[in-house]
Amino acid sequence: MSSSVTKDIIAIGGSAGSRAVLKTLFADLPSDLPASIFVSTHIPANSPSLLPEILADSSNLPVRQAVDGQPIERGHIYVAAPDRHLLLMGETIKFGAGPRENMVRPSIDPMFRSAALSFGPRAVGLVLTGMLNDGAAGLHAIKSHGGTTLVQHPLDAEADQMPLAALEEVEVDHVASAAELGGLLAKIAGSEAGPVPDVPSDDLRLEVEIAAGDRLGSAALRKIASPSALTCPDCHGVLSEVRGSRPLRFRCQIGHAYTADVLAGHTDELDEAIRIAMRIMEERLTLVERMARDARATGRNAVAELYEARAAEYRQYSATLRNAALSSLRHGRASPLQDI
């Protein structure tokens, strides 16, 4: 790749609705684009990705699924593989087997952070349509390290949450519709990059290393985060609040990472499951107590004792579920369990 300092690394992240946007965008890029493009979308971990073949049909540039350890070539588009973070380490692509971020792998934030770490002002980050807010923290890292930031216009997005989250957290350089993004990137690619900022922070380097698969541990986590009263939905360890993060984020000592929005959505689902389980248990308890009374009234004492023992078990299960609900409230979650 050229040694001149130009904007030649373009990292694109998207989720719901992004396939159509990518096809439109790539169709508008010239075949001699002086940049390399990297794409991470939320894809199932256990199924082959057909996205490279789909995008290749409309692209003037070669599109391929990224390969671990391959050198970066200008004028190529690399698509993240299932169940691995796509990371840019120097002039090489690296697959990250580190913990999931925002419940997914590949996640957009690690790719953006690695682009910021390795390329600084040469990096261009683009957030497309999608749910929740994956990509916002990584786009902030690109901006903070001298890179260029773009967001698909929320009104043009099939799912506006990711674009809106990025706009809330980053003073982006460009906002454009899907029809405008290809032409805009073509103008940006190869243009002069700004001055190289200060040496990347140790915090950024640590988070990229976590995504790559390095062990985190509590000692390293304390360097970037402070313990909270929340529990990791994945491994059930203590979550720590990442200091100075935009948007608000949490990590456990295993390395699982969540923005506050993703974590809130997950705890809402958990609380709903507990609420349903409690209602079922209360209904069963009411039924077996009624059956025990009926058995006593008709002289079937042995049967009544069986129903009474079953009722005692249900009361214990119900108490366990209620303790889980109270724990949820102690952690400060807005929970539907408050209505039980």
Side-chain angles (χ1 to χ4, degrees):
M1 299 179 66
S2 172
S3 60
S4 60
V5 182
T6 62
K7 299 177 182 180
D8 58 356
I9 299 293
I10 300 174
I12 303 175
S15 188
S18 62
R19 179 184 300 181
V21 179
L22 289 167
K23 292 182 68 175
T24 299
L25 190 162
F26 291 162
D28 292 337
L29 294 177
S31 59
D32 59 349
L33 187 80
S36 305
I37 299 178
F38 306 87
V39 178
S40 277
T41 60
H42 297 156
I43 52 180
N46 297 318
S47 62
S49 174
L50 302 178
L51 187 58
E53 290 79 6
I54 294 171
L55 297 179
D57 289 340
S58 59
S59 175
N60 297 312
L61 297 166
V63 182
R64 64 184 67 173
Q65 183 170 289
V67 176
D68 188 26
Q70 74 181 117
I72 296 171
E73 296 183 61
R74 176 170 287 183
H76 287 68
I77 298 173
Y78 302 94
V79 179
D83 201 32
R84 290 292 181 267
H85 297 307
L86 175 57
L87 305 176
L88 315 182
M89 309 295 280
E91 300 289 338
T92 303
I93 292 173
K94 180 176 177 60
F95 282 179
R100 288 181 288 272
E101 293 203 23
N102 295 316
M103 310 298 290
V104 295
R105 186 177 57 206
S107 175
I108 300 163
D109 281 331
M111 179 181 69
F112 281 179
R113 290 191 201 104
S114 69
L117 178 67
S118 293
F119 298 102
R122 293 169 57 186
V124 178
L126 167 59
V127 171
L128 301 178
T129 173
M131 302 292 288
L132 297 175
N133 58 358
D134 189 21
L139 198 70
H140 186 268
I142 289 177
K143 180 72 173 183
S144 299
H145 289 77
T148 304
T149 52
L150 297 83
V151 171
Q152 181 183 358
H153 199 297
L155 295 179
D156 181 63
E158 179 177 318
D160 64 5
Q161 292 184 20
M162 278 176 43
L164 284 172
L167 290 172
E168 288 174 0
E169 304 299 340
V170 184
E171 188 175 343
V172 302
D173 298 298
H174 305 279
V175 180
S177 67
E180 299 168 326
L181 285 170
L184 182 57
L185 284 177
K187 292 179 180 178
I188 293 172
S191 63
E192 183 177 354
V196 177
D198 296 336
V199 176
S201 68
D202 291 339
D203 293 359
L204 178 64
R205 191 177 304 278
L206 176 60
E207 294 209 81
V208 172
E209 291 171 352
I210 293 169
D214 289 0
R215 290 180 58 86
L216 178 56
S218 56
L221 181 60
R222 284 195 296 269
K223 297 178 181 178
I224 64 171
S226 302
S228 74
L230 300 175
T231 301
C232 175
D234 202 316
C235 67
H236 309 297
V238 174
L239 283 174
S240 293
E241 180 180 333
V242 179
R243 290 188 289 271
S245 175
R246 293 178 56 187
L248 177 61
R249 290 188 297 125
F250 299 86
R251 276 194 186 274
C252 69
Q253 66 178 27
I254 299 297
H256 300 117
Y258 308 87
T259 63
D261 282 357
V262 171
L263 190 63
H266 185 83
T267 54
D268 285 347
E269 293 173 4
L270 179 61
D271 286 346
E272 178 66 10
I274 295 174
R275 183 184 66 81
I276 293 171
M278 288 185 66
R279 285 187 175 178
I280 293 173
M281 197 59 61
E282 292 292 341
E283 290 172 359
R284 290 181 177 178
L285 177 59
T286 299
L287 178 60
V288 296
E289 286 178 338
R290 176 68 182 84
M291 294 170 73
R293 291 195 300 271
D294 181 70
R296 289 287 183 194
T298 57
R300 295 175 294 144
N301 292 331
V303 174
E305 289 176 1
L306 290 175
Y307 286 140
E308 287 166 355
R310 182 65 57 84
E313 292 179 6
Y314 286 166
R315 289 191 196 96
Q316 183 177 354
Y317 295 150
S318 181
T320 299
L321 289 170
R322 191 165 294 277
N323 286 337
L326 291 173
S327 175
S328 175
L329 294 177
R330 281 197 297 270
H331 286 166
R333 302 172 189 161
S335 170
L337 293 169
Q338 298 175 68
D339 300 327
I340 293 177

